[in-house]
Amino acid sequence: MKILSELIKKIAPNFSIHQLSKGHEVPVLLPYYHLVSDKEHPFHYNYNFPSTKRFRKDLDYLLDHFDPISLEELHSGMNLRNTFHLTFDDGLRECYEIVAPILKEKGVSATFFINPAFVDNHDLFHRYKAAVLNRFFAKKGVKTELKKTYADLLSLDQIAEDIGLKWEEYLDEEKPYMSMEQLKQMDEDGFTIGAHSWDHPEFWLLDEERQLEEVKESMEWLVANFNPKIKAFAFPFTDFGVSDSVFDAIHRKRLCDITFGTAGIKTEKLPTHFQRLQMEQVGSKNAGQLLKTEYLSFQIKRLLDQHVAKRD
């Protein structure tokens, strides 16, 4: 499989993006990021995030080949051929300080998926805690690769306590997340706010009842604070491990109008569930290279009948 992936990456540049993205079965393009920054950032342990220059180039490429649409248009059932909707996860403050101004300048709509537990910097996502600890040890000349799950929160907090790192002080000084005031301004500026679970657990570690609670609690917060026209939820990490019965319950309880996974360019069997493509991939030089590779991979998988997203 790795050999095939390398081969696809090698030959993809020989095609135009128009050739690779055509076909009635090709799903709408839904690229997503977490942050954009020109500064040294501990979260580079989590994502190969772009600089502002790279992000602008990515946007220019997208705008040259696709038409931007809003979340409402995505949900409306309109013809989605050659369109894209941009999304950002986790609610990091760079979205307000760097991303939003660039998007407004270029006239691009976007949705920002938020974890209520972290708004106003009340707490820190467990993978970000691991990244901060990795950077701390790296500065001491100790190489670590902490990649803890939601189940390991206590051990991360214990490590922080052992080295004298207080999360409350870190959050107060660094303020990695957007504030409620900033989110309200984003909403007023025409961007869409969505939910991303309460505190970003790996859903495959949760039973169905807890999965539904994460969706319900975060969506209730979203409605109470923003009352969006379209109630959107993006599963944290991935929708892998989320059963059809959970999706049925989400639909039956009318918790969401539209939901998202992260399987890349894949066809979906559920009409109001869509797969997004992460743009922060290691080894990707630019948006054109990444998109051509992903579209060629989709076309090959379509021929092999392996182009539909699976969750088990």
Side-chain angles (χ1 to χ4, degrees):
M1 198 66 179
K2 185 177 181 181
I3 295 175
L4 178 60
S5 296
E6 290 300 317
L7 181 61
I8 290 173
K9 186 181 293 186
K10 188 174 182 179
I11 64 176
N14 297 314
F15 297 87
S16 71
I17 194 68
H18 175 71
Q19 288 174 310
L20 294 172
S21 62
K22 68 180 181 180
H24 71 278
E25 288 189 87
V26 178
V28 61
L29 178 60
L30 300 171
Y32 79 98
Y33 299 82
H34 293 84
L35 75 154
V36 175
S37 180
D38 294 324
K39 298 179 180 179
E40 191 276 334
H41 204 294
F43 301 166
H44 73 80
Y45 287 95
N46 304 85
Y47 319 111
N48 183 39
F49 59 83
S51 64
T52 54
K53 182 179 180 180
R54 163 70 188 269
F55 181 61
R56 284 179 174 275
K57 286 185 176 180
D58 282 3
L59 277 182
D60 288 341
Y61 185 88
L62 288 168
L63 291 168
D64 284 343
H65 299 282
F66 303 89
D67 296 321
I69 59 173
S70 66
L71 185 69
E72 282 188 71
E73 290 173 314
L74 175 63
H75 181 257
S76 71
M78 63 175 279
N79 185 351
L80 299 174
R81 292 281 298 276
N82 297 317
T83 63
F84 77 95
H85 181 66
L86 199 60
T87 62
F88 293 81
D89 289 358
D90 297 1
L92 297 170
R93 67 179 170 88
E94 287 83 0
C95 289
Y96 179 81
E97 297 173 351
I98 299 172
V99 173
I102 295 174
L103 296 182
K104 285 191 285 185
E105 172 193 323
K106 293 183 175 292
V108 176
S109 177
T111 299
F112 295 83
F113 291 108
I114 308 300
N115 303 102
F118 309 140
V119 174
D120 285 321
N121 295 285
H122 290 309
D123 202 352
L124 187 64
F125 169 36
H126 60 279
R127 290 283 180 93
Y128 292 162
K129 287 183 175 181
V132 172
L133 291 169
N134 281 328
R135 184 174 69 167
F136 174 88
F137 288 117
K139 288 183 176 180
K140 301 291 184 181
V142 180
K143 185 176 180 180
T144 57
E145 292 186 6
L146 296 173
K147 290 185 178 180
K148 299 291 187 177
T149 69
Y150 189 68
D152 300 309
L153 260 174
L154 289 178
S155 66
L156 289 170
D157 291 341
Q158 185 61 57
I159 293 172
E161 184 179 336
D162 290 344
I163 62 174
L165 176 59
K166 296 181 180 179
W167 293 124
E168 294 83 1
E169 292 180 0
Y170 175 84
L171 288 164
D172 185 57
E173 292 173 7
E174 299 295 330
K175 292 182 172 54
Y177 293 105
M178 286 187 278
S179 66
M180 179 60 79
E181 182 180 353
Q182 290 170 330
L183 286 169
K184 292 285 187 180
Q185 184 61 57
M186 298 271 279
D187 183 49
E188 289 180 17
D189 288 343
F191 295 112
T192 312
I193 308 300
H196 196 39
S197 79
W198 187 260
D199 58 357
H200 214 303
E202 291 89 345
F203 265 50
W204 66 87
L205 296 177
L206 309 180
D207 59 29
E208 291 188 357
E209 181 180 359
R210 184 59 192 149
Q211 288 180 355
L212 275 172
E213 286 178 4
E214 282 281 338
V215 177
K216 181 175 180 291
E217 290 173 3
S218 60
M219 292 305 299
E220 287 177 345
W221 173 89
L222 177 69
V223 172
N225 287 281
F226 298 95
N227 195 27
K229 292 180 181 178
I230 304 299
K231 297 184 294 183
F233 180 88
F235 288 93
F237 296 106
T238 173
D239 56 6
F240 185 82
V242 181
S243 67
D244 287 345
S245 63
V246 170
F247 278 100
D248 289 341
I250 289 172
H251 180 73
R252 188 174 64 255
K253 296 174 184 289
R254 298 181 179 179
L255 299 178
C256 314
D257 298 312
I258 189 169
T259 54
F260 297 89
T262 59
I265 298 176
K266 289 282 185 72
T267 299
E268 253 302 328
K269 62 181 181 179
L270 300 175
T272 58
H273 186 63
F274 295 84
Q275 296 298 335
R276 301 181 297 155
L277 173 65
Q278 186 172 7
M279 299 296 286
E280 303 153 321
Q281 297 187 27
V282 175
S284 172
K285 295 180 180 178
N286 53 60
Q289 180 196 56
L290 174 60
L291 291 178
K292 286 183 179 183
T293 299
E294 293 296 325
Y295 274 118
L296 180 56
S297 178
F298 172 83
Q299 296 289 9
I300 292 173
K301 289 176 181 177
R302 183 177 61 83
L303 294 175
L304 300 173
D305 197 28
Q306 296 179 2
H307 61 297
V308 179
K310 296 180 180 179
R311 280 176 280 279
D312 52 22

